[in-house]
Amino acid sequence: MSRLIAEPTVSLSRARNAVRGGLLGNFVDQVDIFLPVIALAPAAAIVLGPDAAAAQTGLIFVATLLGRPLGAAIFGSLADRHGRTRTTTAAIAGIAITTLLIALIPTHDVGGAATLWAFVALRFVGGVFLGGEYSAAIPLAMEWTAPRRRGLLSGGIMAMSPLANAFIAGLTLILVQVLGPDAYAGWGWRMPFIAGALLAAAMLWYYVAGVDDAPISTTGARRTRPLTAILIGPFRRQLWQVFVLMTGLWLFTQMAIPVLTGMLREAPQVGPTTVPFIMLIATLVSAAAMLSAGALSQRIGRRRFFVVFGAGALVAAPLAFAWALTSQGAAAVLAVTVVQIVTVSAYGPVGAYLAERFPSAVRSSGYGVGYSLSLVVPALFPFWLPWLQSALGPVAAVMAVLAAASALLVIGAVLGPEPDRTAALK
């Protein structure tokens, strides 16, 4: 861990704390993101009501989605003006409170329609805090990190997403098996949310006790309106270039995870009972691939990595997706794993890349808004993908979207320069 610090003259413990905070904080953040999607699934009909439980769960997810860009804009600006550590602690406190409150919501048989809207409201507010956490904590970790290690740290931070997915899936599976489906649907679903709240509370204590802002963010000049500076000011070109690149990555995510999962459940040679195991294996492999991708970008350059990856994915991603839907047994596990490798593993360098694209005065605003605003249209795929599938066919439409995502990744990378990955962040 000592080799990750930015400068040998600063306190090793302060640097280590910030780096660990970036890694573990993103794990907690991602756990909270996946909670309603995974933990509520076995209990949705009881918790939310029997009518269109899947659609109601989707509404809860969309509420989180809409909150994240707003949180990135609010907390990113606060982090740039008032400090990243202070902003991170406020965001994590909000995550802990909203997640705990969700665990206390009465089920549909008690609350009726109010149950759904309580979930929606709390997930929207929680989404605001989620967007704030990574907008402050990840740039903070990058500012404390030695330049030669930023790619590796970035890969580790991004790998927290699939690991959090696997953690929640595993916890939910164990609880359902131990408690039984009825008990889990009745009250056991609250336990993953309580666990998420406790993890957030632990991270809050961690940041309050031992994480400080990096010297670069406390000694450099600060802008009074960092959000304006990235949207319409001198850093607007960086923001919209990042927006294009990240839109491609978010399209990868939606097609390779929720869309592929849903289509596998309906595939007769796979079936719904084996899909969780397949996705668990593929997700764990993708975490290792993200870590490797971040490290590779440190050697060959972030821009070059994205261009080469996108060019390869232009062919590999659509073909791997089609292969996954026609395979069974061990071949299906392998095919789905390949889909993850040739799509979402491209996230590996993102933490370092976004931090390097913006100077300290607007780094959190640029990181948070660029990362979050670009996910809105891809995550609304339930509204536009069916139309595309009716025109091109169910599989061909997804293959076309994957090809478009690859092209956006290449275009976004080409529009930007190669960041200086060998120098300290400025």
Side-chain angles (χ1 to χ4, degrees), residues 353-395:
Y353 182 75
L354 296 189
E356 291 164 348
R357 289 295 287 126
F358 298 95
S360 176
V362 297
R363 181 164 290 128
S364 284
S365 297
Y367 187 107
V369 174
Y371 186 86
S372 301
L373 189 62
S374 54
L375 72 84
V376 175
V377 172
L380 292 176
F381 72 88
F383 299 96
W384 52 262
L385 184 60
W387 173 83
L388 191 62
Q389 289 177 315
S390 66
L392 301 179
V395 178

Side-chain angles (χ1 to χ4, degrees), residues 305-366:
F305 172 86
F306 287 130
V307 170
V308 173
F309 189 101
L314 188 64
V315 176
L319 292 179
F321 188 90
W323 177 32
L325 291 177
T326 57
S327 302
Q328 58 183 325
V333 176
L334 177 60
V336 173
T337 301
V338 171
V339 172
Q340 304 301 305
I341 292 173
V342 300
T343 56
V344 295
S345 64
Y347 277 90
V350 163
Y353 182 75
L354 296 189
E356 291 164 348
R357 289 295 287 126
F358 298 95
S360 176
V362 297
R363 181 164 290 128
S364 284
S365 297

Side-chain angles (χ1 to χ4, degrees), residues 18-19 21-23 25-26 79 84-85 87-88 92 132-143 157 207 364:
V19 169
L23 285 164
N26 200 49
R84 311 204 201 287
T85 302
T87 304
T88 300
I92 294 176
E133 192 280 334
Y134 55 69
S135 298
I138 297 178
L140 172 62
M142 290 296 160
E143 288 173 342
I157 289 175
Y207 268 90
S364 284

Side-chain angles (χ1 to χ4, degrees), residues 95 126 160 185 194 328 330 361 421:
I95 292 172
M160 293 300 107
I194 293 173
Q328 58 183 325
R421 62 190 187 280

Side-chain angles (χ1 to χ4, degrees), residues 95-171:
I95 292 172
I97 293 169
T98 54
T99 306
L100 181 60
L101 289 175
I102 288 175
L104 303 178
I105 295 176
T107 54
H108 183 269
D109 61 339
V110 176
T115 294
L116 172 62
W117 294 112
F119 269 99
V120 170
L122 285 172
R123 286 307 294 178
F124 175 78
V125 176
V128 172
F129 289 118
L130 288 167
E133 192 280 334
Y134 55 69
S135 298
I138 297 178
L140 172 62
M142 290 296 160
E143 288 173 342
W144 274 112
T145 305
R148 69 185 184 280
R149 296 288 177 173
R150 278 202 298 265
L152 180 63
L153 176 62
S154 177
I157 289 175
M158 294 299 118
M160 293 300 107
S161 179
L163 290 178
N165 188 322
F167 169 75
I168 292 298
L171 177 61

